[in-house]
Amino acid sequence: MATVETVLSSIFSTIPELHSGQLGLLSGVLVGVLYWHGYRRPALALLTAFYLLALGIVPGTTRGLIVVQSNPWYFCSFLLVASLGVIVATAVRARVTRSSRRRTRRADGKPSDW
């Protein structure tokens, strides 16, 4: 009887699109973590570098990069979704933080922005 481990390992070892998608997701998370912690320009530069590597504009010789360049659609999709998700979340967090600071209360109990 097949176990979950054998089924998952056979799926992930035979379907290159999943490898490409996984690498894109992990790369997007890395870009997102850098962006979230305030490294805006390096995160966007890394996002651009990953994207150019996936499209084959910059040649690569490693095995993982060959998998990505054979299926760039999956890599680029997951890379952009993960990266832009964190960038949007950072913008929303900054906006909520700014609006909550403006809503500090005065001594009489009324909000200061009213």
Side-chain angles (χ1 to χ4, degrees):
M1 178 172 251
T3 64
V4 173
E5 289 178 18
T6 58
V7 170
L8 288 178
S9 67
S10 68
I11 289 173
F12 287 114
S13 66
T14 58
I15 302 175
E17 290 86 2
L18 288 176
H19 284 298
S20 184
Q22 286 174 332
L23 290 172
L25 183 66
L26 290 174
S27 301
V29 167
L30 175 64
V31 169
V33 167
L34 286 174
Y35 194 89
W36 184 273
H37 286 287
Y39 299 101
R40 308 279 195 260
R41 286 187 179 158
L44 295 177
L46 188 61
L47 175 65
T48 304
F50 282 147
Y51 201 81
L52 293 177
L53 281 170
L55 294 179
I57 295 172
V58 178
T61 57
T62 62
R63 183 177 173 195
L65 195 53
I66 291 170
V67 169
V68 169
Q69 288 179 350
S70 67
N71 298 305
W73 170 251
Y74 296 99
F75 179 84
C76 292
S77 297
F78 282 103
L79 172 69
L80 290 177
V81 166
S83 300
L84 293 178
V86 174
I87 290 170
V88 168
T90 304
V92 168
R93 183 187 72 161
R95 182 169 290 227
V96 167
T97 303
R98 267 188 264 127
S99 68
S100 68
R101 285 184 191 157
R102 281 189 277 149
R103 293 181 185 248
T104 57
R105 300 207 175 260
R106 297 185 301 195
D108 60 357
K110 295 181 181 177
S112 61
D113 61 342
W114 286 2

